[in-house]
Amino acid sequence: MSDEEAKGFLKSEENNLASVPSADVPSSVYLNARIFTAEATYSFTLKSPGWHWVRLYFYPLKNNNKDLKTARFTVTTDKYVLLHDFNQGNETAVFKEYLLHLTDQIFSIHFKPTKDSAAFINGIEIVSAPDELIADEGTGLFPVSGFPGLTNYGYQVVYRLNMGGSLITPKNDTLTSAINYGKTITPLIAPPYVYATADKMADAQTNEANFNITSLITKGLVVEIGPTHVDTGSKDAVLNGLEVLKMSNSVDSLDGEFGIDGRQAIANRNTVAAVGFAMMFGAFVGLGAMVMKWHKRPQDWQRRNSFSSWLLPLHAGDSSFLSKGSLGSHKSNFHSSTFGLGRFFSLAELQEATKNFDSSFIIGVGGFGNVYLCEIDEGTKVAVKRGNPQSEQGINEFQTEIQMLSKLRHRHLVSLIGYCDENDEMILVYEFMSQGPFRDHLYGKNLPPLSWKQRLEICIGSARGLHYLHTGTAQGIIHRDVKTTNILLDDAFVAKVADFGLSKDGQMGQNHVSTAVKGSFGYLDPEYFRRQQLTDKSDVYSFGVVLLEALCARPAINPALPREQVNLAEWAMQWKRKGLLEKIIDPHLAGAICPESMTKFAEAAEKCLAEHGVDRPSMGDVLWNLEYALQLQEQFLQGKNGDDNGDKESPTGAPGAAPAAATTVPVAASPASLPPAAPQTSDSSSSRDKENQNRGGPSEVPAISEHSGTAMFAQFSDLSGR
């Protein structure tokens, strides 16, 4: 593949290439390499979901930049750990082959070097595999029983043996040869070279042929085949070929005990028993400590708002649970990871960082309280959210936020660094998101308008975060307050879902949670409002409103507009049903948006806003449609740039469409193009809001249902959200 073809797959700020004219390697793909000193990602658009071979080529060729024999790095996908702390210490070519069941349209491979080291790759190959290659259910050996769910695992080829024949290489494999097979067997199981030779039981001239053919694969792995105990037929056994695949473990890792989200696999039953005993012992100790704390509780404990200052043994009153002498100073660096609550900050630390919560440090105000920007640990910028005692959101939301974010880690979820509940304070410390809320880039602020491609990427990132919430734990988590102000952007405009104070764990064995109605009006699921039964489809409805905000650049609710335009969801769907949705989109998108992309996007939003939750798609389905809309937009921009090089909006180095056939990517390509900054404009947000207000709806509007968002707004306009 040429350099121009390869560069569109890579997202990296580096351009470190290496090549040699010749080497003792089995293929020319090893003669070129790309080197990374920071995390880099290759992304590919898949034509269809299903099984795929993923092949990685490594050869530490000599170069002037880095000694690749000392390179140490980790290779992951969005789900699996392929290589952990990998090092190719000698000058030999290494080929890694994996079989993965991929269901997302975009497949990404991440290369992450360890500290002060580097990562490299010579070639990547992705090949579609037939669905019948591995069935969803197999047979377990110990005990002998059915083993379902094989498509939920990843596989790595460990051994591939041709019994009695020559070595099978890519040159004589089925995937690169034209072979005629019968209808009952797929030719992609193995090439004819395998079936042409075999290991067979010899004629030992014995009455009872009850011995086996034994193949010693490696120490601890022996494969034996022998005749059955059925009386009919000849006593014989034949083995043509043998393939051994390694399965991913309980945390989706094929190399090491840790998953991409930091979860650790439990190795064996003894370990499980030990961990269980330790947990039981810890529970008794914790219970005893809590009983002692209860008897020693302060007399005014009922007037306190802190949920842990007197009960949980993290810290008590103004001092940490650990003595000052053990810490060396009053400024605590204690991370209460033992209790899963993140880092505990002392009030003095945060007062020092914010100059006693000086108003000049405030960067935002929310329902919970003020948000301050400050620096900790010698230069790390963080956002400090301090609870307002007068706020309606109190200790329950504070506790929920800590518990939720302490157990969640995802690229598209805002990370909680720590908290402080000293002296009745409720303070949360987050990673700083420099570009602020998504809403600020759509309307209400004097910021340059986002391109359609940027809006799609932000919506896709948010959908990934919500999809992880719904599926990343056994019972799932429902956010319950999805809106554009709770989608924050970092300096690279990567979207992250925030504000989990209203979140709820799903209930095992039930498809809903019965709870009082909470949320933000305009985004509230009408079915949840009527029945007070919360489901993950309630988040899907709210996200549908977010999609319309991204398209139309106006608030979800605007009471200043005529009644038929107050509720964005109802108003936009009226125009969608008339086939005139383009009449109400953000004027800054005119001429720069692919009609097919907008149609696919609008269809996704309409499905999210279905009246009944059962008719709404899952977040995984929404994500697939948005990624398809992005692909259509990128193709539109490529064609447009080919006709007019002066177009202001150009495609970034986002994933390109993968070819239908097997694709080998020589990664020593020219540098991948970086995403351009948002187009600059002198238009103020006030002029944009005025344009949005002037985009009126049709003169005749259908009667508003008593269950509609507008009717609910009239009845419950004082509903408090976040």
Side-chain angles (χ1 to χ4, degrees):
M1 179 179 288
S2 67
D3 291 352
E4 291 299 319
E5 291 176 311
K7 71 178 184 181
F9 296 98
L10 175 65
K11 182 179 180 181
S12 172
E13 297 181 357
E14 300 179 88
N15 185 33
N16 299 325
L17 309 176
S19 62
V20 293
S22 62
D24 185 16
V25 291
S27 171
S28 60
V29 76
Y30 293 104
L31 301 180
N32 303 284
R34 185 176 287 276
I35 305 170
F36 312 105
T37 57
E39 184 172 355
T41 299
Y42 278 92
S43 297
F44 305 89
T45 301
L46 305 179
K47 294 296 184 182
S48 61
W51 290 108
H52 288 76
W53 291 108
V54 178
R55 294 162 178 164
L56 306 179
Y57 299 81
F58 300 98
Y59 176 65
L61 48 83
K62 295 181 180 179
N63 64 93
N64 297 326
N65 296 327
K66 290 281 185 180
D67 182 5
L68 300 186
K69 288 188 293 184
T70 64
R72 193 173 294 275
F73 55 95
T74 296
V75 182
T76 64
T77 69
D78 289 335
K79 179 179 181 181
Y80 298 103
V81 175
L82 303 183
L83 294 170
H84 174 69
D85 206 23
F86 175 71
N87 170 250
Q88 179 57 17
N90 50 51
E91 293 185 14
T92 58
V94 172
F95 170 68
K96 299 289 186 180
E97 187 173 26
Y98 305 90
L99 181 62
L100 307 178
H101 193 265
L102 307 177
T103 56
D104 292 333
Q105 187 180 19
I106 303 298
F107 172 63
S108 298
I109 304 177
H110 311 282
F111 295 83
K112 186 175 182 180
T114 58
K115 186 177 181 180
D116 299 326
S117 187
F120 71 94
I121 182 69
N122 301 85
I124 300 173
E125 191 174 10
I126 300 175
V127 184
S128 298
D131 291 339
E132 58 268 25
L133 195 61
I134 292 184
D136 187 58
E137 183 170 351
T139 302
L141 295 180
F142 303 103
V144 177
S145 62
F147 191 94
L150 293 177
T151 55
N152 297 325
Y153 294 85
Y155 302 87
Q156 179 182 357
V157 177
V158 182
Y159 297 102
R160 182 177 287 141
L161 305 178
N162 181 20
M163 313 306 292
S166 60
L167 177 67
I168 301 299
T169 67
K171 294 182 179 180
N172 58 8
D173 200 355
T174 313
L175 292 172
T176 53
S177 303
I179 306 168
N180 292 321
Y181 271 72
K183 295 182 179 180
T184 58
I185 301 176
T186 171
L188 301 181
I189 295 293
Y193 297 99
V194 171
Y195 296 113
T197 57
D199 278 351
K200 184 179 179 182
M201 292 174 56
D203 184 5
Q205 297 189 6
T206 60
N207 293 329
E208 294 294 332
N210 57 1
F211 48 87
N212 297 322
I213 298 176
T214 301
S215 297
L216 178 62
I217 307 302
T218 185
K219 184 178 180 180
L221 177 59
V222 177
V223 177
E224 296 180 344
I225 64 168
T228 65
H229 298 290
V230 180
D231 293 334
T232 60
S234 60
K235 299 284 186 179
D236 202 352
V238 176
L239 180 62
N240 298 97
L242 179 64
E243 196 166 24
V244 180
L245 304 181
K246 176 183 179 181
M247 296 175 65
S248 57
N249 60 18
S250 60
V251 293
D252 295 323
S253 175
L254 285 158
D255 187 11
E257 58 181 341
F258 292 97
I260 59 174
D261 55 359
R263 293 179 299 146
Q264 185 176 7
I266 297 179
N268 52 48
R269 295 182 180 179
N270 293 334
T271 306
V272 173
V275 171
F277 178 79
M279 292 176 64
M280 181 180 66
F281 180 76
F284 279 114
V285 172
L287 182 61
M290 291 173 68
V291 171
M292 293 180 63
K293 281 284 184 179
W294 173 263
H295 287 293
K296 296 180 180 180
R297 67 190 184 280
Q299 294 181 352
D300 63 342
W301 67 272
Q302 288 180 313
R303 296 193 297 271
R304 300 199 176 192
N305 286 327
S306 172
F307 74 92
S308 65
S309 57
W310 65 269
L311 183 58
L312 293 183
L314 295 178
H315 46 81
D318 296 342
S319 60
S320 172
F321 177 67
L322 298 182
S323 66
K324 296 178 183 179
S326 67
L327 294 173
S329 69
H330 180 68
K331 185 177 290 187
S332 169
N333 231 4
F334 171 54
H335 290 252
S336 52
S337 58
T338 305
F339 303 93
L341 299 178
R343 172 177 172 179
F344 169 69
F345 288 88
S346 69
L347 182 59
E349 282 183 83
L350 299 179
Q351 286 176 324
E352 179 182 348
T354 59
K355 306 299 182 188
N356 200 21
F357 300 102
D358 190 281
S359 59
S360 63
F361 286 73
I362 295 178
I363 58 172
V365 179
F368 186 78
N370 294 334
V371 182
Y372 301 82
L373 172 62
C374 63
E375 293 184 357
I376 61 171
D377 299 340
E378 301 180 353
T380 302
K381 288 186 177 181
V382 295
V384 176
K385 185 194 290 187
R386 187 187 190 194
N388 181 0
Q390 308 301 323
S391 172
E392 295 180 8
Q393 299 172 17
I395 187 64
N396 290 334
E397 286 78 4
F398 178 63
Q399 184 176 0
T400 299
E401 187 92 6
I402 295 173
Q403 291 175 339
M404 288 295 180
L405 285 180
S406 295
K407 65 183 180 182
L408 298 173
R409 288 292 183 271
H410 192 271
R411 170 178 167 81
H412 294 290
L413 300 181
V414 170
S415 297
L416 176 70
I417 297 175
Y419 72 101
C420 173
D421 65 345
E422 187 177 335
N423 286 357
D424 297 338
E425 291 281 355
M426 293 183 293
I427 303 174
L428 299 168
V429 182
Y430 302 89
E431 64 173 322
F432 175 57
M433 304 294 287
S434 60
Q435 293 298 333
F438 184 23
R439 176 180 292 184
D440 289 353
H441 297 269
L442 296 174
Y443 54 85
K445 298 286 185 179
N446 189 16
L447 296 174
L450 298 172
S451 68
W452 179 238
K453 183 172 183 296
Q454 287 175 308
R455 300 184 200 201
L456 281 172
E457 289 173 336
I458 291 169
C459 291
I460 288 171
S462 308
R464 286 176 178 164
L466 291 172
H467 181 54
Y468 172 75
L469 283 181
H470 293 172
T471 62
T473 62
Q475 69 269 37
I477 295 173
I478 306 169
H479 188 279
R480 204 159 57 145
D481 200 16
V482 177
K483 55 184 178 180
T484 47
T485 51
N486 287 342
I487 296 172
L488 304 182
L489 308 176
D490 66 10
D491 53 359
F493 285 86
V494 174
K496 300 192 179 188
V497 179
D499 206 337
F500 294 81
L502 297 182
S503 298
K504 279 281 188 182
D505 281 313
Q507 295 184 3
M508 297 292 289
Q510 296 187 23
N511 57 7
H512 70 269
V513 180
S514 296
T515 179
V517 175
K518 288 188 179 181
S520 296
F521 201 79
Y523 303 88
L524 203 58
D525 172 15
E527 189 176 62
Y528 167 43
F529 183 87
R530 293 193 303 269
R531 304 175 62 187
Q532 297 190 17
Q533 292 183 347
L534 182 69
T535 71
D536 57 355
K537 298 299 181 69
S538 300
D539 281 351
V540 174
Y541 181 93
S542 303
F543 189 71
V545 180
V546 169
L547 296 181
L548 293 180
E549 276 191 88
L551 181 64
C552 302
R554 57 146 285 184
I557 293 291
N558 189 347
L561 293 175
R563 187 179 181 187
E564 68 271 15
Q565 300 178 32
V566 168
N567 186 291
L568 172 61
E570 294 179 358
W571 182 56
M573 287 302 98
Q574 290 173 10
W575 286 92
K576 170 69 170 60
R577 286 188 288 269
K578 290 176 177 288
L580 298 173
L581 188 60
E582 68 276 3
K583 299 290 185 182
I584 64 169
I585 68 172
D586 185 354
H588 293 92
L589 298 177
I593 181 172
C594 169
E596 291 80 8
S597 175
M598 188 190 74
T599 299
K600 176 57 67 175
F601 184 90
E603 288 175 355
E606 185 178 33
K607 292 175 182 177
C608 291
L609 298 172
E611 180 70 13
H612 303 288
V614 69
D615 298 325
R616 298 172 200 152
S618 67
M619 282 309 306
D621 294 332
V622 176
L623 177 59
W624 183 278
N625 282 281
L626 293 178
E627 288 174 334
Y628 184 56
L630 176 61
Q631 182 181 357
L632 292 172
Q633 179 67 10
E634 288 176 336
Q635 293 172 353
F636 170 77
L637 292 175
Q638 290 171 0
K640 190 173 182 181
N641 289 335
D643 297 333
D644 181 11
N645 291 328
D647 196 314
K648 292 182 180 178
E649 182 179 357
S650 60
T652 71
T663 304
T664 302
V665 184
V667 296
S670 58
S673 57
L674 297 175
Q680 300 297 315
T681 177
S682 60
D683 294 343
S684 67
S685 61
S686 60
S687 64
R688 257 198 290 169
D689 293 342
K690 201 169 292 182
E691 289 171 345
N692 293 336
Q693 191 167 343
N694 290 336
R695 281 179 272 138
S699 55
E700 293 88 23
V701 182
I704 296 175
S705 166
E706 63 176 348
H707 298 307
S708 68
T710 303
M712 286 193 293
F713 176 74
Q715 298 175 34
F716 300 92
S717 57
D718 59 342
L719 182 64
S720 174
R722 292 175 67 84

